[in-house]
Amino acid sequence: MTDTIPTLLLFPLWVLLTAFIFCVLSWQRAKVQSAIAIVAGFLYLATAAGLFMEVYQNGIQVIQIGNWPAPFGITLVADLLAAGMVLISAVVAFAIILYSLQDLSAERKKKGFYPVLLVMMFGVCGSFLTGDIFNLYVWFEVMLVASFVLIVLGNSKKQLEGAVKYVTLSFISSGFLLTGSAILYKLTGTLNMADLSVAIAQHPNQELITVSAVFFLTGFGIKAALFPFFSWLPASYPTPPISVVGLMAGLLTKVGVYALIRFFTLLYTHDLPVTHSVLLVLAGLTMFFGVLGAIAQRNFKKILSFHIVSQIGYMIMGLALFTPLAIAGSIFYIIHHILVKTNLFLISGIVKITNGHYALSKLGGVYDRYPFVTVLFAVSAFSLAGIPPLSGFWGKFILAKAGLESEAYVIVAVSLLVGLLTLFSMSKIWVSVFWSATPESDSNLPQLDGRTLFRRYYCLLLASVFLTLCTLGISFYPDFLISFSEQAAGQLLNPDSYINAVLNQ
Amino acid sequence: MKTLILATLLRALTPLFISFALYMFFRGHDKPGGGFIAGLIASIPFMLHAMVFGYERTRQVFRVKPTVLAALGLLMALLSGFFAVLKGEPYLTSAWVTQELPLVGKIGTPIFFDFGVLLVVFGVVLQITFLLTEE
Amino acid sequence: MNLIISLIIGVLFSASLFLMFQKSFFKLIIGVILFGYATTFFLFTVGGVTKNAPPLLNEAAIAVDQLADPLPQALTLTAIVISIGVQLFVIVLLKKVYEEVGTEDLDELNTTDRIK
Amino acid sequence: MSLFTTAAYISIAIISVSTILTLVRFFKGPSLPDRVISLDVFSANLLAVLAIYSVLSEEKAYLNVALIMSLIAFVGTMTFAYYLVQKREKSKNYDQ
Amino acid sequence: MINDLFSAAFMLAGSLFMLIASMGMVKFPDFYIRNSASTKAVVLGVLLILLGVGIHYNDTMIFVEIFAILLFIFLIAPLAAHIVSRAAVITEVGFWEKTDLKELEGYKKEQDKEAKVTKVE
Amino acid sequence: MTILSCILAVILAGFLSAFFYDRYRNIVLSVVSLLFLGIIAYFGSLAGPVLEGATLVQEVIWVDSLNIQLTFLVDGLSLFFALLVTVFGLLIFLYAHRYMKDSPQINRFAAYLLLFSGAMLGLVLSANLIGLFVFWELTSLSSFLLIGFNHTNEDSRRSARQALLITAGGGLALMAGLILLEIATGSGYNLTEILAQPEVVANSGLQSAAIILIALGAITKSAQFPFHFWLPNAMAAPTPVSAYLHSATMVKAGVYLIFRLNPLFQEAMLWHHLLGGAGALTMTWGALKAFQEDDLKRILAYTTLSALGILFMMIGLGGEAAVNAAMVYVLAHALYKCALFMTAGNIDHQTGTRRISQLSDLGRKMPVTATTVALALASMAGVLPLLGFVGKELLYDALYHAADPMAMVYLALLFLAGALFMAVSVDILYNAFIKTGKLRDQPIREGHLMLILPPLLLAAVSLLTGIAPGWTVAPLLKWSAANIHDFAPSMQLKLWHGFNLVFLLSLATLLSGVGLYFLRNWLRQFQKPSWASADFWYDQAIAGSESVAQFTTGEIQNGYLRRYIATVIVTFSILLLAAMAHGQVFQSLSTAPLLKGLQIYELVILALIALATGFLFRVRSRLIVTATFGIIGYSIALAYTLFSAPDVAITQFLAETLTLILLILIIHRLPSYTLKTPIARLKYLPVAILFGAMMAVTAYVMLLQEKDTGSKAYFLEQSIPKGKGQNAVNVILVDFRALDTLGEITVLTVTMIGIIALLKFKPNNKKA
Amino acid sequence: MVILINLFVAVLMTWFTQTIYPGIPNSGFATLLLFAGWNALLWLLTYFLSEHSFHRSRQIGSLVLFYLKELLTASLRVAYEVLTPQDHMQPAVIAIPLEAKTDFEITLLANFITLTPGTLSIDVSKDRKILYVHEVYVKAGDTEKVKRQIKEGFEKKILKITRNPNQI
Ligand code: NA
Ligand code: NA
């Protein structure tokens, strides 16, 4: 065994689980839980940043849990992609915790919002770090069950309705993951991803490997909201409060995408023309039908929800193209999207506070009354729509470049068309929520001016500003993130370093 | 649901179930059994109690909050791995006491871990049953 | 043995889906739970099934290849417990949906994702 | 196959028939208590099968499964009874 | 050898009792008869089979465990039967037409009174 | 670095304005003016070397990982446009300072305007294609914000969105085109390098696609047919915006782009045909429409279309003379059109209307404006001695001498357009300024000095440069033109070329224009039907895509869970079938022994499960369903025992019982069965069976496989010595894979919290 | 209590004997026999410590034996009933007046009744004076005879165990 154990890998997990436990122990005490959550959020961010720096400087970090050698015990691995994802999830979680301090009612806080949020991050973080497919399933479940709770927390009719669909389809997707893991174990006798990568390459029955790929494609496809598996997302995401939906919208589907990337770069590279063509077709359809859904909607949150689906298509497009640049594009896109999409939902929540609605027809006047909110929205919205030099542009640009280089003209055309349609539906929000005149407001709605909004809801705005600054950072100085994405993609496409780090420790 | 016969028998069954649960727990490392199974068995008499006497009565008998039990169980499982970290080994590396104890058998961090599992299962099942038997 | 196992798996999956396609929320839930059983059973059997040889060792060492592979069993155990968690949640969700929405007709639970 | 094994196999066959008969009662009902007790008998049958199977495969561990079965089936029965009584009390309260 | 003989005999006898119980389950005319007759034959069946198993293994721990199972069964089986039949009476599951119900009247009155009291509370 | 600083300074000034303009108006004005003056001075200082043929390159490292740097290039062409942007920017800012003074959102206006100026400056100076593109899109964005400036007006919003969608859509095409250029040349998006290798591009096989995509970008940006309709609608923007963006600068971005890339593509026929065709159509169409309009700003917008069309047409024609002419015409048009827009704004400002039919007597009441308008209109119509005349002479000359067979068609159309310009000019001048009418007795006077001075200045420059083009603008323009066609500078500018055919043509144009003016009533009766307008089709496209979206989404997202499940399952099954068929898995099945190792208990379990499942379909009562489900669960547990997994079996027994208990505890709270449907719905039965069959086949195939037993042996061998336990399953759970178990109990705890939240949450109506 | 101590000590003694004398086989019947032997010895010893406990243990043994006999005969009757075509059943619900007073006594009685095939205790009345029993074979509607049998059989034996002998 090596002299130094990279325990740094475990810090984010420890922080989150401990905070969860203490939140449960201080059940019903909203203030204490909020305090624990904010401290934990900060520590999580700090430890994630520490881990990221460690991986960035010293390469892949591996820890064999329980000191059992690699293919037998559970291995946690942080390569660049995983560490980056942990860091970005910490950023978003921190913003959401901040936001929720003022967004949520005391009742929601008392009934477990913070512990469940923390444990969901625990699951998310574990999913990123694990190097074992069954363990990945477990982390997914931690994350999912927590998200079930977050989705229903509040018990409104809509939330429950949405939850029915979300829970059922998620459960089915978990079933596919389990059955897929069983098949892989049967075929290769191992669950360790690095070991699997080796075993799959040497397996005599490559066609059966492809069969197992279908299980994971479906399982992760549902979690990532790929076409035609995405229906649960628009059904459930618009229902819970913003603090919940912001986090889920930003992070959860991306965990599915992350898993797809992991599996289809590390494991399923045996039959690229088949597997990745399917992915490419699904990516195009996801983009297209997602944005169609967004165009059809007339509700702020619903439009944003469908946009998630559409954007997932871009991330999968990069994976499917399977060139270093394309995968770097995917990674960049994921990180950009997590920041931007979360922020958009947060802003929709602020708009809700000012106008009392999410329906486009009942919204208006934000542009005049709250210029600051408008600026926050504009940054994220135009970024999502791909207006340069905002971050979304870089994502689309890299993917388009990669696609054109691979002569995948159809998908590039689709992605550009979808980009236009995204702008189309984003501008619909802009025009009806921000530009159109203030509609006859509800009499019971508090008439806030900008100053009061700020005073009363400074946490909401701070959270949004925090994310906006991150977005602006990667917009105007994209070089770090892009070169990071390229390095991460390099690691993904040359899994030898990953495999060596895990197996020959 | 309160009947004399049931109430009387339940009183007799409770210690039986609990000792049986402990038996299943301690042999779990060598024979079928273990934390999950033991936790569920231990919770059965209290489940029945809540069904028979109603939640209010059970809460009076059962003072500890099940949520606290569950959280402590989780904490125990989490902490059982830290011993190794202090020794400079990877998290969750097991450590055993060399001497076997009578009745209980071998003692080591995995046993503590499994006991955490027991507590979690016990707490969770009880909490859910209590909630559902509450009118 | 393989044939029977496959048939059991097929029956369980078909039944679970069939239940999910019914109008009643209650049956949907039973279907979901059955789906969980089917997947864990699949995990267990496909992961590696051996008859008459539980992975229990004695001091008198038995030849290892005589015993069943313990790993799929442990995985199945974990999967069952996790599914239990989800199942319990779903069951309580049923109650809550009935209380709040006032129906268990799945056809009436279709409002949140319609265009409005 | 020894005499003993044969006897065990015959026992299993008998219990299998018995299980099916129990299920017949279960499917026929007509009342819920009928179904509950047939479920009870069903689990006793399973217990018996497990016990004999344990003998057949010379594996004591299966007897533990039977042991737990015996405890568990009872809880199920209790819950069904609980349901019946609760339901009755509720409807009585509604009636008046 | 003699062990095996005993063991086989016990197991066969037990299974037969179980079969009879199941046949009774199908044949008997009402719930109460099924409950009072069959479930108990099952207990006897289980007792015999477990004894057969115990004899076969001839192991102390197994005997202890079997003793534990039997103890549980003897505590639990009557309890379950009692609870279910009580529930059946309360929910007015019908008796066989030949049943003499004169002496049940008092019980029914008591139950109705109790329900009323619950309601007033 | 300096250039980047200039651009950033302008944008920064925009931010300053956003915060301080309302409170410190004059200070901000001075700062901005000084800034512009400084920048102009800086570019003026660069003029020296540029006029000697030098090019200046500045590079700032930006996105090194993508090989994208902020590279700036100052040569004749970019210097010309940079001066155009800054000089006009300064004038417009001064003008707007007064013009918009009562607007409550003047801060934003100034900010957007400055953002635009910065972006436009960046666009024309960028020597990196991606840098250029970034600024390109920023100009679209700021144009969007400015067109929608009167955002409470429905029309403004629509126009703004329309302009954004069209220009940004073209932008996406442009991006693809630029990437293709990069792929073809591999030169790090460096403009100079790419321009140096036209033959590489031509031989790459990507040239046609690149041309189409780039032309699409330029056409949309410069409002060429068939994307011309957004520009007249963009007149919803405040007048300074129209004057600046929609006449002088932003719409010229497309022109700039085709100028810039002309050396690369000038050998490609496609390039010429595409641009020439679009230009000629737009030119003619714009002029015709201008003549039919009554609103001053819309007239100007249509003439702008027409003028842009002329420029496109000239590039389409190609060749030295055409490029020279186009370059002069760019300047001429910018000067007169900007002046005209500003005066139109003044008229609107002072009289309250922009409709010619409502205006009269302005010549007497607003003499300075009248002078300005007269000069500018003269330039537009191409009257001697204004710069417009010089430009038109060059256009005619280039067309007349061109070898291209299309040139004669272009010439004829240009003649028509020129005549219409003249007619329009006469119309405006006579009806609004000379004629006496409704406004005779209105107290109308000139606007503020800051409103009338900038246009007058521009008109004066038109005159000055018209009189002496060779001294004033030729030195710069010749280098600009040289950069376009990549030849040595060849422009010879004179006001007077003598009585030649071209001059006669000019004269004839003017006369025909006067003639057309008198035919105006007759001509104006030909209104095109509504379906012939591109605007109409835009609306159709929007509505169409929305209804397609609604239909599709309504179908996909129809709210029924079973449909979602079926979609997932069917897709999965098809993929699985395809994978199996692709891998010829089915063939291997036919040889497998089906009944090997069959035992009676397995059959019993199968029978139990099948019976119970069958029964499940026949019952409605929840409780019986639950009990039946219990039988299935116990049977599975039995199966686990038979397959050597006592731990799993016990767990399954317990899990099943727990589930049963919970189900029962829940059911008795629900009212009795309410659904009055058939017991079983069979519609999706085939899906269920398909899925079951697929899973069964998969399981069967997998069960036939031999397994690698490496990890199994490890666990069994290490269980006692290292795991200290005989039950290998338990050792795995609490030691080998304890992390899984940790996750598992976490799931249980979360479930508990979830259930508490479900059952105990008391919704608070105020903040639901 | 004494009985429990008795059992526990017997277990310890058995274990001791087996550890001290390895010649004695430590599995199955051998152990059981050893255990029974130690138990019997200890039981005889209790005679000198507490005569009451001694008798009670004897009575418990007789109750168990009595019950096993009842179980067997009644099961055979059920078998006969099942296997023959015509039915001999004459069921009735019988209200048995209770002499047993404590919870433990009543429960024990009710359970033994239920455990015997053919009889089933339904409930105890609120005032704990009547036990309602379902009996399958009531010959000629003679419910009194059944009551007498139960009271003479199970109830008496149970009360003998739970109560001081001089109370009966
Ligand atoms: Na265990
Ligand atoms: Na360990």
Side-chain angles (χ1 to χ4, degrees), chain C residues 22 37 50-51 69 73 113, chain F residues 564 602 644 656 681 707:
Chain C
Q22 301 304 310
Y37 286 178
T50 319
K51 274 194 291 195
D69 186 349
Q73 297 195 9
D113 42 348
Chain F
Y564 303 164
E602 293 157 7
S644 335
E656 174 64 35
R681 203 157 41 172
K707 197 176 72 179

Side-chain angles (χ1 to χ4, degrees), chain A residues 59-71:
Chain A
I60 298 175
Q61 302 286 305
V62 176
I63 184 165
Q64 314 288 1
I65 296 294
N67 216 357
W68 299 105

Side-chain angles (χ1 to χ4, degrees), chain F residues 170 173-174 176-178 180-181 198 201-202 204-219 257-258 261-262 264-276 312:
Chain F
L174 174 63
L178 297 179
L180 285 181
L181 284 187
V201 175
S204 67
L206 299 172
Q207 180 171 263
S208 301
I211 286 176
I212 293 173
L213 291 168
I214 290 171
L216 209 53
I219 284 174
L257 184 73
I258 58 173
L261 295 179
N262 191 45
L264 192 61
F265 296 129
Q266 60 188 346
E267 303 299 326
M269 289 314 287
L270 183 63
W271 176 251
H272 294 291
H273 290 159
L274 218 55
L275 299 179
F312 270 68

Side-chain angles (χ1 to χ4, degrees), chain E residues 3 17 20 23-24 27-29 32-33 35-37 40-41 43-44 55 58-60 63 74-75 78-79 81-82 85-86 89 95-96 98-101 103-104 106-107 110-111 114, chain G residues 26-29 31-32 67 71-72 75-76 78-79 81-85 87 89 91-95 111 114-126 132 134 136 143 147:
Chain E
N3 272 7
F17 267 108
I20 284 163
M23 286 163 76
K27 190 186 171 192
F28 289 142
Y32 301 94
I33 301 173
N35 194 1
S36 61
K40 265 42 95 210
V43 169
L44 184 63
I55 292 167
N58 193 13
D59 178 295
T60 319
F63 271 117
F74 277 79
L75 281 176
L79 186 53
H82 154 69
S85 58
R86 178 176 174 272
V89 172
F95 285 85
W96 188 33
K98 286 189 195 167
T99 314
D100 176 4
L101 291 176
E103 300 189 17
L104 191 67
Y107 183 70
E110 192 179 300
Q111 286 296 313
E114 194 180 328
Chain G
N26 72 353
S27 79
F29 283 124
T31 315
L32 279 188
Y67 167 69
L71 180 65
L72 198 65
S75 294
L76 288 172
V78 171
E81 190 62 50
V82 169
L83 297 173
T84 52
D87 58 57
M89 296 180 290
V93 176
I94 300 165
N111 271 11
T114 307
L115 270 173
T116 319
T119 53
L120 171 71
S121 36
I122 292 173
D123 207 353
V124 182
S125 70
K126 260 264 126 93
Y132 295 94
H134 182 269
V136 181
T143 52
K147 284 182 202 171

Side-chain angles (χ1 to χ4, degrees), chain F residues 173-188:
Chain F
L174 174 63
M175 181 176 88
L178 297 179
I179 294 175
L180 285 181
L181 284 187
E182 164 67 14
I183 291 174
T185 61
S187 47

Side-chain angles (χ1 to χ4, degrees), chain A residues 66 68, chain B residues 92-94, chain F residues 735:
Chain A
W68 299 105
Chain B
L92 280 172
T93 305
S94 53
Chain F
D735 200 341

Side-chain angles (χ1 to χ4, degrees), chain B residues 28 33-34, chain F residues 647 727 730:
Chain F
D647 276 286
N727 182 356
N730 190 266

